[in-house]
């Protein structure tokens, strides 16, 4: 018959707790980095959407003008929009060319910068003079 041996080795040792904390810290840092990447992509998509909206608004303004008031020239303006509670500048470059005596081409390029990288969105439209 073997005697009962009572051991005081119940629970975790300090080394086991430290290893568990290191593993948990690495996991939490990975989750935080994933959240950071997701926020950066969300901001990038929001800026692209705002650039499309700016381009559409500027094109609508040009298309509502009478045909003779649309000048065949180039111009640049800066439009500010609030993106996630911060002002962001969008540069709008408008180029109008005469295709024929009764048709003009309008090209709008919207440019913006995010994290030191330049982006742009371009839209084009033809406007013809009505034959009244």
């Amino acid at each position: 018959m073997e005697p009962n041996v009572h051991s005081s080795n119940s629970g975790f040792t300090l080394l086991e707790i430290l290893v568990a904390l290191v593993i948990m810290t690495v996991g939490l840092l990975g989750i935080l980095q994933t959240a950071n990447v997701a926020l950066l992509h969300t901001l990038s998509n929001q800026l692209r959407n705002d650039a499309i909206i700016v381009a559409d608004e500027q094109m609508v303004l040009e298309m509502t003008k009478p045909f003779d008031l649309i000048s065949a020239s180039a111009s640049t303006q800066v439009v500010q929009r609030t993106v996630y509670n911060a002002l962001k500048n969008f540069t709008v470059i408008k180029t109008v060319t005469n295709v024929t005596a009764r048709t003009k081409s309008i090209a709008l390029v919207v440019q913006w910068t995010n994290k030191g990288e330049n982006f742009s969105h371009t839209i084009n439209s033809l406007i013809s003079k009505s034959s009244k």
Side-chain angles (χ1 to χ4, degrees):
M1 187 162 162
E2 292 182 22
N4 287 340
V5 177
H6 293 289
S7 173
S8 64
N9 291 336
S10 63
F12 294 105
T13 65
L14 184 60
L15 182 61
E16 290 171 331
I17 290 175
L18 289 176
V19 169
L21 284 174
V22 168
I23 292 171
M24 197 166 28
T25 302
V26 169
L28 288 175
L29 287 174
I31 290 172
L32 288 174
Q33 183 62 26
T34 302
N36 189 27
V37 169
L39 286 173
L40 289 175
H41 283 291
T42 301
L43 175 62
S44 177
N45 288 335
Q46 185 63 45
L47 289 171
R48 186 179 305 112
N49 286 340
D50 283 354
I52 291 169
I53 291 169
V54 166
D56 188 51
E57 288 172 352
Q58 295 298 316
M59 186 61 78
V60 167
L61 288 174
E62 286 299 312
M63 294 182 77
T64 56
K65 292 180 184 177
F67 182 81
D68 296 329
L69 293 181
I70 300 173
S71 62
S73 63
S75 66
T76 302
Q77 73 179 43
V78 176
V79 176
Q80 286 190 334
R81 301 286 292 227
T82 303
V83 179
Y84 293 125
N85 297 323
L87 284 178
K88 191 68 178 170
N89 291 331
F90 294 92
T91 303
V92 180
I93 302 169
K94 176 185 76 166
T95 306
V96 179
T97 55
N98 291 324
V99 178
T100 66
R102 302 180 63 80
T103 304
K104 294 181 181 178
S105 172
I106 301 174
L108 293 175
V109 179
V110 179
Q111 299 174 335
W112 69 98
T113 304
N114 184 28
K115 298 285 182 189
E117 194 172 347
N118 295 323
F119 297 93
S120 67
H121 176 73
T122 304
I123 62 173
N124 297 298
S125 183
L126 290 173
I127 297 178
S128 296
K129 190 173 188 177
S130 62
S131 58
K132 289 185 180 179

